Amino acid sequence: MSDVAETNAADTLGPLPEWDLTDLYAGTEAPEIDKDLAEARTLAGELRQRCAGKLATLAGDTLGRALGDYEAVDEILSKLMSYAQLVYAADMADPRSGRFYQRMQEAVSEISAELIFFTLELNEIEEAALEEKLQDPLLARYRPWIRDSRAYRPHQLDERLERLLHDKQVAGASAWTRLFDETMAGLRFRLDGKDQTSMEVLNRMSDFDRAARQRAGEAFAAGLKSRLGLFSLVTNTLAKDKQIEDSWRGFARPISARNLHNRVEDEVVDALVGAAVESYPRLSHRYYAMKARWLGLDKLSYWDRNAPLPTSVDRQVPWDEAQRTVLTAYADFSEELAGVGRRFFERPWIDAPARPGKQSGAFAHSTVPSVHPYLLLNYQGRVRDVMTLAHELGHGVHQVLASAQGHLLAGTPLTLAETASVFGEMLTFRRLLADTKDPAERKAMLASKVEDMLNTVVRQIAFHRFETAVHDRRRQGELLSDDLAEIWMETQVEALGPAFDLNEDYRVFWTYIPHFLHTPFYVYAYAFGDCLVNSLYAVYQEAEEGFAEKYLELLRAGGTKRHKELLAPFGLDASDPAFWRKGLTVVEGMIDELERLD
C-alpha cells in the first residue's frame, strides 16, 4: 500500500491496532528463545531416556506424570512455533522473517523427533491394560487426548519411518508451502497504473463501479498467470507427497486423514457434501439469478460475484465503530462472551492494517494456553471486514475459553473450531440488521449475508470438490495447468449456476487458495461450521433460558468432547442427514425472503 493510500485509510478508518508479540518473545534475537529451545531439548531427552520402550510397563500415576512432562515440552515447542509463524505472517516479504521461521521449524522439528516414541508406544498398549491405568486420576485427566491419539493406531508406522517422515517435513511439504506463501506475498498486480497487493486488488473486486471491478479481476488474473507454472508445480508436488504418505499409512481416500484429524466420520462429511450439492439449484443458482436482475445484467461475470447491490450504502466503517458493533452484538447474547472479546481490543492482540508483504486474509492463532491468542486481519473498512472481525474474534474467544483445559486438551478439530467464529458472525449480522431501518438498505444487508453464507457453504463445498478431483486424478499422473483449470471450471460452474458467464481469466483462480496447500481438505469445515451454527441459532431463537450458558460450556470443552457429545444438549445430531438439510434450509429461507422483497 502506498504512503498516500495508508494516509487515506488512516483518515477514514481511524487508527488501526497492531499486535505486540512480546507476550511470546521480545524479538527474534531474544535470549529467551535459545533458553526455551535448550530447556525443551533437555526435557525431551530426559523423557526419552526415562520412558522409551517402557510406557506399557508404567503404572497409571507414573504414566500420567510422563504425559504431563510430554505436554510441557510440547507447549514450549508450540510457543516457539507460534511466535515464528506470527512474525512470518506479519511480513512474508522480509527474508529475515523467512530465515527465522525456517530456523525455528528446523530446531523444533529436531527436538520433537525425540518424542515420536511416546504416542507410538501409548497407542500400542492393549485396551484392557490401558483402561486399568486410566483409573488413576493423573492419567484419567488426559483420557480424551489419549482416545484421539489412539484413533491413529491403524495408520501409524514404526518409529524409524515416523522419524524419517517427521525429519523430512521441513525440507519437503513445509518448504513447498513456504515457496507458495512467499510467492503470493511478493506478487504485485498492475491496476490503474499502480502495483498493488493481492488484498488491495481483491478489495477492488467489491467496488460499486463495474468497470473498476472488471479491471481488478483482469489485473488479478494477469498476476496469477505470471506464476501459473510455479503454482501448478507446487500443487502437483504436494498432492503426490500426500498420496505417498496416505498409501504408507493405509488411508482409503485422500480425505480420510483429514476426517480422522477432525474426529468426524467419512459418512458424515459425505452427507454434508451431498446435501450441499443437492441444494445448489435452490441456493446459489436461484440467488445469483436474482442478483443478475438487480444489477441489470443478462449474465454475471466472475468480478460481479461479490459486487454490492445498487441499494447498498457505500461507506467506510471506522475501526472504533466496527469494534463497538461486534462487542455490542456479543454482549446482547452474553456479557461473559463480550468480556472475553473486549480483552483483544484493550490489549495489543490484533494486527489489523493491510501492509505489503503481510499474509492475506485473516486468521486467529491460539498460540498456547499460558499466553493468549492473536488475530490477524487486513481491515479495509467494508461491512464484510466487520463480519471478518466478528468471525476471527469468535475464534479468539473460543480459544481463550478452552485454554483452561490445558495445552493438549484445549484444541478443537477444524469442524468444531468454526462454531464460535460463524456464530459470532451471525450475532453481528442480526445486530446490524436490527439497527437498519431503511427497507432498501435492509434488503442489501440481507443479500450480503446470503452471499457470505453461500461463500461459506456452496463455495467451500465447490472448493472441496475441486481438491477431491485434483487428488483423485493426481494418482494417475501429473496434472497440467490446463487439467487443473478444467477441474476448477467444472466445479465452479456447477456451484455458481447458469447466471454466470465465466471467461478464460477465471481458469487460474484456483491458484491463490492457500488452504489447498497448507491444509488439504480443510475447506469443508467452513460448510460444516455454517450448517452447524445455523441449526444452533435456530435452537437459540426458540430457546427460553439457559442457551447461552450451554453454548459457553460447549466452547469451554475445547477438545475434550466429540461433536455428538457437544451437540446433544441442544438436541442436535450431525450424523443425521436431516441435520444438514436443516442448516441449509436457513439459507434457503433468507433467499425466500429476498424473493418476497424483489
Side-chain angles (χ1 to χ4, degrees):
M1 186 183 292
S2 69
D3 292 341
V4 173
E6 286 181 348
T7 301
N8 290 341
D11 290 344
T12 307
L13 304 178
L16 297 177
E18 297 186 25
W19 60 29
D20 180 348
L21 301 180
T22 54
D23 286 347
L24 288 163
Y25 296 100
T28 57
E29 301 297 325
E32 290 78 11
I33 291 174
D34 287 331
K35 179 171 175 281
D36 280 355
L37 284 170
E39 182 183 1
R41 189 174 289 111
T42 299
L43 292 173
E46 290 174 351
L47 182 61
R48 182 176 181 86
Q49 186 175 21
R50 193 169 71 248
C51 298
K54 305 171 189 172
L55 281 196
T57 67
L58 299 181
D61 59 342
T62 309
L63 183 56
R65 281 192 291 273
L67 187 45
D69 292 341
Y70 173 94
E71 180 177 39
V73 178
D74 197 66
E75 181 159 1
I76 294 171
L77 298 179
S78 295
K79 180 183 176 185
L80 287 159
M81 278 313 303
S82 295
Y83 180 66
Q85 288 160 355
L86 294 171
V87 167
Y88 182 54
D91 191 355
M92 291 177 167
D94 186 344
R96 292 168 299 180
S97 298
R99 181 178 63 184
F100 176 71
Y101 179 59
Q102 185 68 16
R103 178 195 161 211
M104 287 300 101
Q105 274 197 312
E106 292 175 5
V108 167
S109 177
E110 179 187 341
I111 296 167
S112 57
E114 295 296 309
L115 302 177
I116 289 173
F117 82 92
F118 198 94
T119 51
L120 296 179
E121 289 190 29
L122 183 66
N123 292 350
E124 289 300 328
I125 300 174
E126 293 299 324
E127 288 291 343
L130 180 62
E131 189 57 41
E132 184 178 339
K133 297 177 193 295
L134 281 164
Q135 300 312 301
D136 186 274
L138 274 177
L139 186 62
R141 177 179 178 277
Y142 294 101
R143 180 184 285 273
W145 183 85
I146 293 170
R147 171 202 65 197
D148 294 336
S149 175
R150 286 172 70 82
Y152 288 89
R153 187 177 181 180
H155 306 287
Q156 67 185 30
L157 308 174
D158 66 60
E159 187 177 354
R160 283 176 61 80
L161 280 174
E162 290 286 0
R163 183 151 189 168
L164 174 64
L165 289 172
H166 177 88
D167 288 350
K168 282 179 65 64
Q169 182 74 11
V170 294
S174 294
W176 286 100
T177 54
R178 179 183 167 190
L179 174 62
F180 168 81
D181 289 341
E182 293 187 2
T183 301
M184 277 303 300
L187 262 181
R188 293 296 176 266
F189 303 85
R190 193 71 178 171
L191 176 60
D192 295 341
K194 295 184 291 186
D195 290 333
Q196 302 191 36
T197 66
S198 61
M199 287 304 298
E200 289 172 314
V201 175
L202 288 169
N203 188 52
R204 291 292 302 279
M205 286 173 66
S206 297
D207 202 287
F208 274 81
D209 180 2
R210 190 170 194 243
R213 295 198 303 270
Q214 181 175 351
R215 291 196 305 275
E218 291 172 348
F220 195 59
L224 296 177
K225 286 176 186 176
S226 73
R227 298 291 187 275
L228 182 57
L230 184 148
F231 292 143
S232 299
L233 176 61
V234 171
T235 299
N236 272 285
T237 303
L238 287 171
K240 185 63 179 179
D241 181 79
K242 177 173 168 51
Q243 179 198 338
I244 293 168
E245 184 166 340
D246 282 353
S247 175
W248 275 89
R249 294 192 181 282
F251 285 112
R253 298 161 57 186
I255 195 176
S256 297
R258 175 61 51 204
N259 291 346
L260 182 61
H261 183 77
N262 284 346
R263 304 165 208 164
V264 65
E265 301 77 15
D266 286 1
E267 298 74 23
V268 171
V269 178
D270 290 344
L272 162 65
V273 174
V277 172
E278 190 271 333
S279 76
Y280 284 175
R282 301 191 308 278
L283 302 184
S284 50
H285 296 186
R286 187 161 60 114
Y287 173 77
Y288 288 123
M290 283 195 295
K291 183 166 187 174
R293 288 199 308 274
W294 296 335
L295 295 177
L297 300 171
D298 292 330
K299 292 281 187 178
L300 297 172
S301 295
Y302 68 85
W303 54 77
D304 298 316
R305 187 174 58 82
N306 286 329
L309 299 191
T311 55
S312 299
V313 176
D314 184 17
R315 75 179 186 94
Q316 295 275 289
V317 182
W319 176 256
D320 60 352
E321 182 183 336
Q323 172 184 336
R324 188 167 57 252
T325 298
V326 173
L327 288 179
T328 301
Y330 276 43
D332 287 345
F333 173 75
S334 163
E335 186 51 51
E336 182 178 353
L337 198 72
V340 177
R342 224 169 266 120
R343 296 183 209 170
F344 287 81
F345 298 98
E346 294 169 349
R347 302 165 192 181
W349 296 1
I350 303 176
D351 196 73
R355 294 187 300 268
K358 183 177 177 179
Q359 181 171 327
S360 61
F363 66 72
H365 196 310
S366 58
T367 74
V368 290
S370 55
V371 187
H372 55 77
Y374 284 95
L375 309 185
L376 178 143
L377 307 170
N378 280 272
Y379 189 83
Q380 299 189 64
R382 295 186 179 276
V383 172
R384 275 199 172 94
D385 292 322
V386 179
M387 300 304 289
T388 299
L389 172 60
H391 181 102
E392 300 305 337
L393 188 66
H395 279 307
V397 168
H398 191 176
Q399 291 157 358
V400 170
L401 291 172
S403 65
Q405 298 290 349
H407 177 63
L408 292 182
L409 295 170
T412 55
L414 297 175
T415 42
L416 295 170
E418 293 300 328
T419 304
S421 54
V422 179
F423 198 84
E425 277 191 77
M426 182 65 86
L427 292 172
T428 303
F429 165 70
R430 292 295 179 185
R431 176 72 193 189
L432 286 168
L433 192 65
D435 289 344
T436 304
K437 306 306 178 187
D438 179 72
E441 199 176 331
R442 283 175 63 84
K443 176 183 172 181
M445 190 171 292
L446 185 62
S448 179
K449 180 58 179 174
V450 167
E451 289 189 17
D452 287 344
M453 296 171 92
L454 292 178
N455 285 338
T456 305
V457 178
V458 170
R459 183 168 164 81
Q460 300 304 326
I461 291 300
F463 284 0
H464 169 79
R465 284 167 69 78
F466 167 77
E467 63 179 333
T468 298
V470 167
H471 282 272
D472 285 344
R473 286 181 54 179
R474 181 63 181 89
R475 294 184 173 198
Q476 279 87 57
E478 183 163 299
L479 299 170
L480 301 175
S481 299
D482 281 345
D483 298 326
L484 293 162
E486 286 169 13
I487 299 170
W488 173 253
M489 294 299 279
E490 286 169 9
T491 53
Q492 304 315 298
V493 167
E494 175 190 41
L496 292 169
F500 276 87
D501 183 12
L502 300 174
N503 68 16
E504 287 293 302
D505 279 353
Y506 199 62
R507 290 168 61 85
V508 299
F509 271 58
W510 60 270
T511 58
Y512 81 100
I513 311 297
H515 301 75
F516 296 153
L517 308 177
H518 284 272
T519 320
F521 298 98
Y522 182 116
V523 291
Y524 78 76
Y526 288 114
F528 192 111
D530 199 80
C531 288
L532 188 157
V533 166
N534 287 343
S535 297
L536 262 182
Y537 200 85
V539 174
Y540 167 53
Q541 289 179 307
E542 297 162 7
E544 295 178 3
E545 296 295 325
F547 180 92
E549 187 49 45
K550 283 195 290 185
Y551 175 75
L552 290 172
E553 284 304 311
L554 180 152
L555 302 186
R556 291 189 192 102
T560 62
K561 296 178 181 178
R562 294 196 170 179
H563 61 84
K564 274 185 176 290
E565 300 169 88
L566 287 169
L567 295 177
F570 304 95
L572 299 172
D573 180 4
S575 64
D576 181 354
F579 173 84
W580 302 115
R581 290 194 293 273
K582 181 177 183 178
L584 293 164
T585 298
V586 173
V587 189
E588 190 173 355
M590 288 186 174
I591 297 173
D592 290 342
E593 186 176 347
L594 282 170
E595 277 191 331
R596 290 192 295 271
L597 296 172
D598 195 9

